[in-house]
Amino acid sequence: MINQTDRQFLERAVALAEQALGKGDEPFGSVLVSAGGEVLFEDHNHVASGDHTQHPEFAIARWAAQNMSPEERAESVVYTSGEHCPMCAAAHAWVGLGRIVYASSSEQLAGWLRDMGVPAGPVSTLPINVVAPGVPVAGPVPELAERVRQLHLTLHGKPAGS
């Protein structure tokens, strides 16, 4: 179930994805929120540097491991423009972060990229719970997923509204 608070933080995650695209990077953004509703950490993709592990979800997991107690991590929520990839889902689970809320799913992204003729990446697309079965997840959110799709169309040089 996604509530109004979730939507607010998802909007921020999508805005971070827009920032990433504006900086020439892939459009992904994520926000770590405490149990009390405080934004603790936020970031966007930095894979244009050539290091394809520079995902915001992975950065959140590293930051949380260094700056939060296990209890704080378990009670936190990660909001993200796109469902975690397997690398990020594993990092999330290993550090014991709580719920994940995403605007668009990995299945949606894979379909969009396939429809645009973008070759598949080197890692299989898997739902979070296949990699991290104990992590509570919610998403996608159709209207936000459409915004994310438009960002990927822009990234791959396709006309808006395609």
Side-chain angles (χ1 to χ4, degrees), residues 1-7 10 79 99-101 137-141:
M1 182 72 159
I2 294 175
N3 62 34
Q4 192 55 41
T5 300
D6 293 334
R7 285 181 184 278
L10 280 175
Y79 294 93
R99 182 172 173 245
I100 298 171
V101 183
V137 298
V141 177

Side-chain angles (χ1 to χ4, degrees), residues 13 21 41 45 47 51-52 54 57 61 66 72 79-80 87 90 102 107 112 116 123 140 148 154:
L21 184 61
F41 186 91
N45 251 28
V47 300
D51 180 351
H52 289 275
Q54 295 297 313
E57 305 86 358
Q66 295 172 354
E72 290 169 328
Y79 294 93
T80 188
M87 172 185 72
Y102 54 87
E107 181 179 6
W112 300 334
M116 287 184 262
V123 176
V148 173
T154 300

Side-chain angles (χ1 to χ4, degrees), residues 127-141:
I128 292 167
N129 286 143
V130 169
V131 177
V135 175
V137 298
V141 177

Side-chain angles (χ1 to χ4, degrees), residues 81-114:
S81 61
E83 184 176 11
H84 289 31
C85 73
M87 172 185 72
C88 294
H92 184 103
W94 278 117
V95 301
L97 287 164
R99 182 172 173 245
I100 298 171
V101 183
Y102 54 87
S104 61
S105 71
S106 295
E107 181 179 6
Q108 287 174 312
L109 177 61
W112 300 334
L113 296 177
R114 187 173 46 253

